[in-house]
Amino acid sequence: MESILRKLDLQEEESGAGIGSWMTCEGPVLASVSPVNGKCIGKIRCAGLNDYEAVINSATEAFVDWQRVPAPKRGDIVRQIGMALRRYKRELGALISLEVGKIRAEGEGEVQEMIDIADFAVGQSRMLYGLSMHSERPEHRMYEQWHPLGPVGVITAFNFPVAVWSWNALISLIAGNTVVWKPSSKAPLSAIATMKIVWKVLMENNLPNGILNLVIGERDDVGEALVNDSRVPLISATGSTGMGKHVAKAVAKRLGKTILELGGNNAIIVTPNANLEIATRAIVFGAVGTAGQRCTTTRRVIVHEDVYSDLTDALITAYQQVEIGNPLKEGVLMGPLIDRGAADAMQTALEKAKEQGGRILYGGEVLTGGAFDRGTYVTPCICEISADASIVSEETFAPILYMICYKTLDEAIFYHNAVPQGLSSAIFTNNLREAEIFLSHLGSDCGIANVNIGTSGAEIGGAFGGEKDTGGGRESGSDAWKAYMRRQTCTINWSHELPLAQGIQFGSK
């Protein structure tokens, strides 16, 4: 651990606020405790309200200059950031594993997501396209263009402590915005290490402070100030539905913009026409990966009665082979939950499930003693339950998989859509008609719908996000860049007359 921290230039106590250089903060000390072994990795002196003011002032001032840099040149800065992240992929990935409990492959995979979105953003910097439109007035030209917004606030959750920041920040950069990042207090060191890497790129290019900013602090001091700040035209927030509703209300009150990426309660429908071997692998990865702490985690399997027993048996066999332990150890497939509170929430959910007629088919225990001492390890759980049990509609951020039986595809789709969340979804079938129904307006109501691939592992090239209680926001690829810019419709009159729209006549003849 000491070697990893040293390579990432992390000190025993770090500052919780920076603008390209670190500030002396006035807030309390925050300890970053690893769920792997319960040990303190490092300490952070949190930002207070005065520190936040200094950060936002710097971001506002830097925006004046940054928006003047041509978009392709902004893209080149992002290209250099991607190259810098490549050099620290292994060390930063290991830190993510230590701080949030992901296995090493997932930690490094998260850094790869940052690299990938950097590559995507470089190309997008030359494709901030507007449309041209035919005017109804003669000798007029009409078109739309896109302009930078200003400082963008990015609030991230612990489960993807750096990747979600990059989806927002690197697209924001090519759009001409500055960024103020408030990371999760459960993963502050990963954010600090990332900033230290990317700030070097800004310094090497003689760019001013304030383009990429970090502020770590308590909700009342920093979080509320950020979401209520009229100098920040856009807040992108990732977290629980409750948190998202609070952010949406605060930002809407000042008529700001939001990108909300909130809860998920993702299901896979398995039909009699499915390849059960492929379906089993996808379900295990989707349900067990990141210890069930992804917004895209597979939480429900809706399986046809003809293959229910076979799939259940296959899943139990696969779950028995999942090695649980230190996420940095080779061969481990599932690390710990983020903290004791998450383990307690899992146990509470399982008690509710049993009260509502659920039956535990495998797992669900909290692991203690030996290699699990001081960590927050659990066994992934498979629970048989009816679709109408109220616990099924709740998102428990833990590896609980609910098995639900169905008779007809219409019934399966009804069960699928009957929850408040609408992020990711999948169907496993080799029947073209079943697949097309699922992808149609009569099928999945989620922002992501897949066929013969699981609910997790979305590629950065597509717009990421969901509907209903998931918040409706979109990040990452496709045309999600438009959310970080303001649209402007322009009309040019190159005639010698002043014709009015809709043929209106005004004034004397």
Side-chain angles (χ1 to χ4, degrees):
M1 184 172 75
E2 292 178 0
S3 173
I4 293 168
L5 299 179
R6 186 170 57 252
K7 289 178 180 178
L8 293 171
D9 192 29
L10 291 171
Q11 310 303 313
E12 185 175 343
E13 182 173 304
E14 291 283 354
S15 169
I19 57 176
S21 58
W22 296 107
M23 299 164 52
T24 301
C25 292
E26 60 182 23
V29 172
L30 170 69
S32 176
V33 177
S34 174
V36 176
N37 52 23
K39 293 182 179 179
C40 179
I41 306 174
K43 297 179 179 179
I44 299 91
R45 175 69 67 174
C46 290
L49 184 57
N50 291 332
D51 304 314
Y52 168 78
E53 282 295 322
V55 168
I56 197 64
N57 286 335
S58 180
T60 302
E61 292 171 5
F63 172 68
V64 175
D65 294 326
W66 182 244
Q67 67 176 329
R68 291 191 173 100
V69 176
K73 292 188 180 297
R74 298 193 297 252
D76 186 63
I77 299 299
V78 172
R79 179 190 64 80
Q80 294 177 51
I81 288 174
M83 295 303 295
L85 291 169
R86 281 176 169 87
R87 293 193 290 271
Y88 289 93
K89 178 178 176 179
R90 184 166 177 79
E91 293 80 9
L92 188 53
L95 175 62
I96 293 168
S97 294
L98 279 172
E99 193 164 43
V100 304
K102 289 185 176 185
I103 63 173
R104 186 157 202 158
E106 289 185 296
E108 292 187 17
E110 184 163 348
V111 181
Q112 186 62 48
E113 281 197 40
M114 292 200 288
I115 295 167
D116 290 344
I117 198 66
D119 290 348
F120 179 92
V122 174
Q124 192 68 65
S125 70
R126 293 181 180 270
M127 298 185 293
L128 303 177
Y129 297 137
L131 298 173
S132 62
M133 295 151 279
H134 288 276
S135 173
E136 66 184 56
R137 290 169 286 192
E139 299 180 351
H140 281 59
R141 181 163 67 91
M142 190 175 177
Y143 68 99
E144 68 178 22
Q145 59 185 352
W146 297 83
H147 294 306
L149 275 176
V152 169
V154 179
I155 301 171
T156 57
F158 77 85
N159 59 328
F160 281 87
V162 296
V164 171
W165 166 80
S166 70
W167 296 355
N168 290 275
L170 301 186
I171 300 297
S172 286
L173 284 187
I174 60 131
N177 304 316
T178 55
V179 180
V180 178
W181 181 14
K182 182 188 180 301
S184 169
S185 294
K186 296 180 181 181
L189 287 180
S190 296
I192 290 171
T194 300
M195 285 291 96
K196 290 192 174 192
I197 294 169
V198 301
W199 280 348
K200 290 179 182 178
V201 173
L202 303 183
M203 291 175 62
E204 290 167 357
N205 285 273
N206 298 313
L207 291 168
N209 283 342
I211 294 174
L212 288 175
N213 307 274
L214 181 72
V215 58
I216 300 168
E218 296 180 347
R219 170 178 165 174
D220 290 344
D221 291 336
V222 171
E224 292 300 319
L226 180 60
V227 300
N228 287 286
D229 198 328
S230 60
R231 294 168 292 182
V232 183
L234 171 65
I235 297 288
S236 177
T238 300
S240 69
T241 297
M243 180 274 282
K245 289 180 178 179
H246 176 78
V247 170
K249 183 177 180 180
V251 177
K253 189 175 181 180
R254 59 181 177 84
L255 298 181
K257 298 173 64 177
T258 55
I259 299 172
L260 299 177
E261 297 292 350
L262 311 175
N265 192 351
N266 315 292
I268 292 177
I269 295 175
V270 181
T271 83
N273 300 297
N275 182 320
L276 292 188
E277 181 182 352
I278 295 177
T280 300
R281 292 173 59 191
I283 293 166
V284 173
F285 176 74
V288 173
T290 322
Q293 297 173 118
R294 295 186 187 126
C295 52
T296 56
T297 289
T298 304
R299 307 202 180 279
R300 298 174 293 144
V301 175
I302 304 167
V303 54
H304 192 272
E305 59 185 1
D306 289 351
V307 292
Y308 183 88
S309 295
D310 289 343
L311 181 62
T312 300
D313 291 345
L315 287 172
I316 292 173
T317 299
Y319 269 48
Q320 290 170 341
Q321 299 172 37
V322 173
E323 184 172 348
I324 304 165
N326 187 324
L328 290 174
K329 180 182 175 183
E330 188 174 350
V332 168
L333 295 179
M334 191 179 108
L337 294 176
I338 187 64
D339 55 26
R340 185 61 56 188
D344 291 343
M346 178 178 178
Q347 296 307 302
T348 299
L350 290 177
E351 286 301 317
K352 288 182 181 179
K354 287 185 281 188
E355 291 171 3
Q356 295 168 19
R359 184 167 67 96
I360 305 299
L361 303 180
Y362 180 84
E365 304 91 359
V366 175
L367 300 173
T368 58
F372 305 116
D373 190 39
R374 299 186 66 186
T376 50
Y377 297 90
V378 298
T379 55
C381 179
I382 302 173
C383 178
E384 182 180 76
I385 199 165
S386 63
D388 59 358
S390 61
I391 190 65
V392 172
S393 293
E394 299 179 18
E395 180 192 34
T396 302
F397 230 50
I400 301 175
L401 183 67
Y402 296 118
M403 300 293 295
I404 298 166
C405 189
Y406 80 89
K407 296 178 182 294
T408 68
L409 184 59
D410 286 345
E411 181 183 25
I413 292 172
F414 175 80
Y415 292 160
H416 177 280
N417 294 344
V419 298
Q421 308 85 357
L423 178 53
S424 187
S425 61
I427 188 170
F428 277 79
T429 179
N430 288 326
N431 182 294
L432 178 62
R433 180 166 291 171
E434 289 178 335
E436 289 294 339
I437 290 172
F438 183 75
L439 297 178
S440 77
H441 61 285
L442 302 175
S444 168
D445 63 357
C446 294
I448 299 170
N450 299 327
V451 176
N452 293 333
I453 187 172
T455 61
S456 58
E459 295 184 33
I460 58 93
F464 180 87
E467 302 302 320
K468 302 190 295 188
D469 278 5
T470 302
R474 293 297 186 274
E475 297 169 335
S476 193
S478 185
D479 65 348
W481 61 269
K482 292 180 179 179
Y484 304 90
M485 304 193 79
R486 60 181 177 90
R487 185 196 306 251
Q488 186 177 74
T489 301
C490 306
T491 305
I492 301 170
N493 177 7
W494 50 275
S495 74
H496 296 287
E497 305 296 334
L498 187 63
L500 301 180
Q502 290 86 44
I504 294 174
Q505 299 295 322
F506 184 79
S508 59
K509 296 183 180 179

